Amino acid sequence: GDSVTQMEGPVTLSEEACLTINCTYTATGYPSLFWYVQYPGEGLQLLLKATKADDKGSNKGFEATYRKETTSFHLEKGSVQVSDSAVYFCALRTSGSRLTFGEGTQLTVNP
Amino acid sequence: GAGVSQSPRYKVAKRGRDVALRCDSISGHVTLYWYRQTLGQGSEVLTYSQSDAQRDKSGRPSGRFSAERPERSVSTLKIQRTEQGDSAVYLCASSLDGAGGTEAFFGQGTRLTVV
């Protein structure tokens, strides 16, 4: 079955540091890949997505590239801000099936 | 409202009691999910439906969790004979269709505490 494995947290960084949160997946078929973010006290919201191999999703300075050869979708940001503190979830979905999430990675950015 | 809303936001239940959690999804969305989110275990899908057909049921144990969809944009998650291990945040999400690349929209969740 489909599964997503995320880098374990929590991750604590100083403001302006570089961020990478690893995500790898296994899936039957050709999944679309997503990163969702959950800010404190709020629901999950889509951060970015990629629907086919070599696509790059980007939003709010975050990027992730769909790598079919390594079955990965690592989330990166060059310079994090305190406001980026949240829980980040990698997810995949194939057509006609449910959204499958990783376990989430808690990110804390200190000023 | 334009988004997915869930009620109540917080629920405390005595162990062994049944609870019902409500989700109002976005009008026109076909696919609806219920997830359970626990600290350190991520989000576990409980149910997934397209239109009014139950496509998938999972969860531990599956017999205690069920979802009804009396209207296309309303779903009720029912948990029978609650256990302390059911304490979690329950998230509802909907999407326009079942296509792989379609975004799912989430409600803020219901935090259930079983005492």
Side-chain angles (χ1 to χ4, degrees), chain B residues 62-108:
Chain B
S62 59
R64 294 194 301 112
F65 293 81
S66 62
E68 296 177 358
R69 205 163 170 180
E71 302 167 38
R72 196 164 191 177
S73 62
V74 176
S75 177
T76 303
L77 177 71
K78 295 188 176 180
I79 308 172
Q80 295 179 304
R81 304 181 304 280
T82 52
E83 302 172 357
Q84 285 192 316
D86 296 334
S87 296
V89 175
Y90 290 81
L91 299 171
C92 172
S94 70
S95 64
L96 188 60
D97 57 37
T102 306
E103 177 182 356
F105 294 83
F106 285 80
Q108 289 187 304

XYZ file of all heavy atoms in Angstrom, chain B residues 62-108:
348
model
N -11.979 -1.100 13.576
C -12.795 -0.497 12.533
C -14.267 -0.485 12.911
O -15.004 0.410 12.532
C -12.586 -1.227 11.213
O -12.927 -2.592 11.358
N -14.717 -1.465 13.676
C -16.129 -1.523 13.985
C -16.621 -0.369 14.828
O -17.812 -0.086 14.816
N -15.783 0.317 15.560
C -16.236 1.385 16.448
C -16.310 2.736 15.741
O -16.906 3.673 16.266
C -15.321 1.493 17.665
C -15.365 0.267 18.579
C -14.723 0.556 19.921
N -13.333 0.958 19.785
C -12.882 2.191 20.052
N -13.712 3.130 20.462
N -11.603 2.470 19.922
N -15.682 2.837 14.604
C -15.660 4.108 13.877
C -16.511 3.985 12.624
O -16.348 3.063 11.838
C -14.230 4.464 13.464
C -13.330 4.775 14.617
C -12.737 3.767 15.351
C -13.091 6.091 14.976
C -11.907 4.068 16.428
C -12.262 6.395 16.041
C -11.669 5.377 16.768
N -17.400 4.919 12.450
C -18.201 4.932 11.235
C -18.538 6.365 10.894
O -18.548 7.251 11.754
C -19.482 4.121 11.415
O -20.289 4.688 12.429
N -18.777 6.599 9.632
C -19.133 7.941 9.186
C -20.416 7.875 8.379
O -20.607 6.969 7.573
C -18.009 8.547 8.358
N -21.271 8.828 8.633
C -22.500 8.948 7.867
C -22.486 10.265 7.113
O -21.891 11.240 7.555
C -23.716 8.895 8.803
C -23.865 7.568 9.516
C -25.026 7.578 10.495
O -25.689 8.619 10.635
O -25.257 6.523 11.119
N -23.195 10.252 6.011
C -23.205 11.462 5.184
C -24.654 11.742 4.801
O -25.075 11.468 3.680
C -22.331 11.227 3.949
C -21.774 12.475 3.340
C -20.617 12.136 2.421
N -20.233 13.303 1.652
C -19.265 13.322 0.765
N -18.566 12.220 0.534
N -18.971 14.422 0.104
N -25.411 12.284 5.750
C -26.837 12.502 5.495
C -27.110 13.492 4.375
O -28.136 13.410 3.712
C -27.342 13.032 6.849
C -26.133 13.592 7.511
C -24.987 12.748 7.055
N -26.194 14.424 4.196
C -26.255 15.343 3.066
C -24.878 15.343 2.438
O -23.898 14.997 3.088
C -26.606 16.769 3.533
C -27.905 16.881 4.285
C -28.025 18.222 4.985
O -27.593 19.245 4.402
O -28.523 18.248 6.113
N -24.804 15.753 1.204
C -23.534 15.643 0.493
C -22.422 16.435 1.168
O -21.256 16.032 1.134
C -23.707 16.117 -0.937
C -22.577 15.673 -1.825
C -22.961 15.814 -3.263
N -22.008 15.159 -4.122
C -22.120 15.075 -5.434
N -23.170 15.603 -6.026
N -21.211 14.482 -6.155
N -22.770 17.554 1.787
C -21.727 18.395 2.383
C -21.708 18.302 3.907
O -21.105 19.135 4.563
C -21.906 19.851 1.942
O -23.149 20.343 2.384
N -22.356 17.293 4.451
C -22.352 17.116 5.903
C -21.951 15.678 6.206
O -22.463 14.742 5.591
C -23.725 17.407 6.526
C -23.706 17.120 8.029
C -24.145 18.842 6.251
N -21.047 15.515 7.153
C -20.663 14.175 7.574
C -20.601 14.128 9.091
O -20.237 15.108 9.742
C -19.304 13.795 6.993
O -18.900 12.515 7.466
N -20.968 13.003 9.636
C -20.884 12.787 11.080
C -20.018 11.567 11.328
O -20.308 10.485 10.808
C -22.273 12.567 11.691
O -23.113 13.674 11.398
C -22.175 12.388 13.195
N -18.953 11.768 12.107
C -18.107 10.649 12.518
C -18.631 10.153 13.862
O -18.741 10.926 14.813
C -16.652 11.074 12.652
C -15.703 9.976 13.142
C -15.509 8.922 12.057
C -14.353 10.562 13.551
N -18.953 8.878 13.929
C -19.453 8.304 15.181
C -18.418 7.343 15.742
O -17.884 6.497 15.026
C -20.779 7.594 14.938
C -21.893 8.553 14.519
C -23.250 7.875 14.460
C -24.317 8.919 14.142
N -25.663 8.334 14.065
N -18.140 7.517 17.008
C -17.213 6.632 17.708
C -18.006 5.956 18.820
O -18.548 6.625 19.712
C -16.030 7.393 18.318
C -15.362 8.282 17.260
C -15.009 6.410 18.895
C -14.293 9.208 17.827
N -18.072 4.663 18.747
C -18.833 3.918 19.760
C -17.901 3.451 20.874
O -16.720 3.152 20.640
C -19.499 2.706 19.116
C -20.546 3.071 18.081
C -21.154 1.831 17.443
O -20.451 1.002 16.897
N -22.464 1.702 17.537
N -18.454 3.409 22.067
C -17.742 2.855 23.239
C -16.313 3.418 23.301
O -15.324 2.674 23.230
C -17.716 1.330 23.156
C -19.112 0.716 23.043
C -19.055 -0.816 22.976
N -18.222 -1.306 21.892
C -18.599 -1.388 20.637
N -19.802 -0.965 20.275
N -17.776 -1.862 19.717
N -16.223 4.719 23.463
C -14.918 5.376 23.421
C -13.947 4.774 24.435
O -14.328 4.326 25.526
C -15.042 6.878 23.693
O -15.787 7.074 24.903
C -15.738 7.582 22.553
N -12.677 4.794 24.029
C -11.585 4.319 24.873
C -10.603 5.478 25.071
O -10.570 6.412 24.277
C -10.867 3.151 24.189
C -11.780 1.980 23.876
C -11.095 0.920 23.025
O -9.923 1.138 22.634
O -11.738 -0.104 22.736
N -9.779 5.368 26.097
C -8.831 6.458 26.350
C -7.892 6.661 25.169
O -7.465 7.774 24.874
C -8.058 6.194 27.631
C -8.913 6.453 28.870
C -8.102 6.487 30.128
O -7.232 5.654 30.326
N -8.390 7.450 30.988
N -7.581 5.598 24.460
C -6.721 5.701 23.292
C -7.354 6.447 22.140
O -6.671 6.763 21.158
N -8.640 6.745 22.245
C -9.306 7.523 21.202
C -9.056 9.020 21.368
O -9.435 9.804 20.488
C -10.821 7.271 21.227
C -11.175 5.830 20.891
O -10.387 5.162 20.188
O -12.242 5.370 21.353
N -8.447 9.416 22.463
C -8.141 10.838 22.678
C -7.195 11.310 21.581
O -6.095 10.776 21.421
C -7.506 11.055 24.050
O -8.405 10.710 25.078
N -7.622 12.294 20.830
C -6.853 12.754 19.672
C -7.560 13.963 19.077
O -8.632 14.361 19.538
C -6.751 11.654 18.617
N -6.966 14.501 18.041
C -7.639 15.515 17.238
C -8.196 14.823 16.000
O -7.480 14.104 15.301
C -6.677 16.646 16.822
C -7.374 17.627 15.891
C -6.140 17.367 18.048
N -9.483 15.027 15.748
C -10.136 14.430 14.597
C -10.327 15.493 13.534
O -10.951 16.527 13.768
C -11.471 13.790 15.022
C -11.226 12.564 15.856
C -10.938 12.672 17.216
C -11.225 11.298 15.284
C -10.667 11.546 17.982
C -10.958 10.172 16.041
C -10.675 10.313 17.382
O -10.399 9.195 18.138
N -9.769 15.223 12.367
C -9.782 16.186 11.274
C -10.690 15.707 10.157
O -10.677 14.535 9.795
C -8.371 16.363 10.701
C -7.300 16.884 11.642
C -5.932 16.791 10.989
C -7.590 18.323 12.027
N -11.424 16.628 9.617
C -12.252 16.361 8.451
C -11.643 17.118 7.275
O -11.145 18.241 7.443
C -13.677 16.839 8.725
S -14.775 16.779 7.312
N -11.670 16.521 6.112
C -11.155 17.189 4.921
C -12.040 16.845 3.732
O -12.617 15.764 3.677
C -9.715 16.766 4.623
N -12.135 17.771 2.793
C -12.892 17.471 1.577
C -12.123 17.961 0.369
O -11.277 18.851 0.469
C -14.281 18.123 1.625
O -14.206 19.540 1.519
N -12.410 17.360 -0.766
C -11.811 17.816 -2.011
C -12.848 17.740 -3.120
O -13.825 17.001 -3.032
C -10.556 17.011 -2.363
O -10.879 15.663 -2.596
N -12.583 18.511 -4.152
C -13.570 18.661 -5.214
C -13.855 17.338 -5.911
O -14.990 17.039 -6.274
C -13.059 19.705 -6.212
C -14.021 20.143 -7.310
C -15.266 20.760 -6.702
C -13.343 21.153 -8.231
N -12.799 16.553 -6.098
C -12.981 15.270 -6.755
C -11.944 14.287 -6.259
O -11.198 14.599 -5.323
C -12.890 15.421 -8.286
C -11.569 16.031 -8.718
O -10.526 15.728 -8.095
O -11.570 16.818 -9.676
N -11.913 13.112 -6.845
C -10.988 12.087 -6.398
C -9.683 12.054 -7.157
O -8.885 11.128 -6.984
N -9.455 13.051 -8.008
C -8.221 13.055 -8.788
C -7.012 13.241 -7.883
O -7.080 13.923 -6.862
C -8.266 14.175 -9.828
N -5.901 12.642 -8.297
C -4.721 12.644 -7.448
C -4.206 14.012 -7.078
O -3.787 14.242 -5.940
N -4.240 14.956 -8.017
C -3.621 16.248 -7.757
C -4.529 17.277 -7.119
O -4.126 18.410 -6.890
N -5.742 16.885 -6.785
C -6.694 17.850 -6.241
C -6.410 18.123 -4.774
O -6.251 17.199 -3.980
C -8.126 17.315 -6.404
O -8.343 16.993 -7.771
C -9.135 18.355 -5.960
N -6.396 19.397 -4.425
C -6.113 19.790 -3.049
C -7.245 19.364 -2.129
O -8.422 19.437 -2.486
C -5.947 21.305 -2.993
C -5.719 21.873 -1.590
C -5.608 23.377 -1.593
O -5.625 23.989 -2.690
O -5.524 23.964 -0.505
N -6.885 18.938 -0.924
C -7.866 18.678 0.117
C -7.879 19.851 1.077
O -6.837 20.393 1.433
C -7.523 17.389 0.873
N -9.053 20.257 1.490
C -9.223 21.360 2.432
C -9.629 20.783 3.780
O -10.531 19.955 3.861
C -10.296 22.331 1.924
C -9.889 23.046 0.664
C -10.046 22.442 -0.572
C -9.338 24.316 0.723
C -9.666 23.093 -1.739
C -8.966 24.974 -0.439
C -9.121 24.355 -1.670
N -8.979 21.289 4.819
C -9.168 20.729 6.149
C -9.936 21.674 7.052
O -9.780 22.889 6.982
C -7.812 20.432 6.787
C -7.139 19.224 6.224
C -6.456 19.293 5.028
C -7.216 18.010 6.880
C -5.838 18.170 4.490
C -6.602 16.880 6.356
C -5.912 16.960 5.154
N -10.706 21.082 7.946
C -11.277 21.845 9.040
C -10.243 22.007 10.149
O -9.138 21.477 10.070
N -10.627 22.749 11.182
C -9.687 23.011 12.277
C -9.568 21.840 13.244
O -8.692 21.832 14.091
C -10.117 24.265 13.028
C -9.880 25.535 12.210
C -10.160 26.763 13.036
O -11.245 26.914 13.578
N -9.190 27.642 13.143
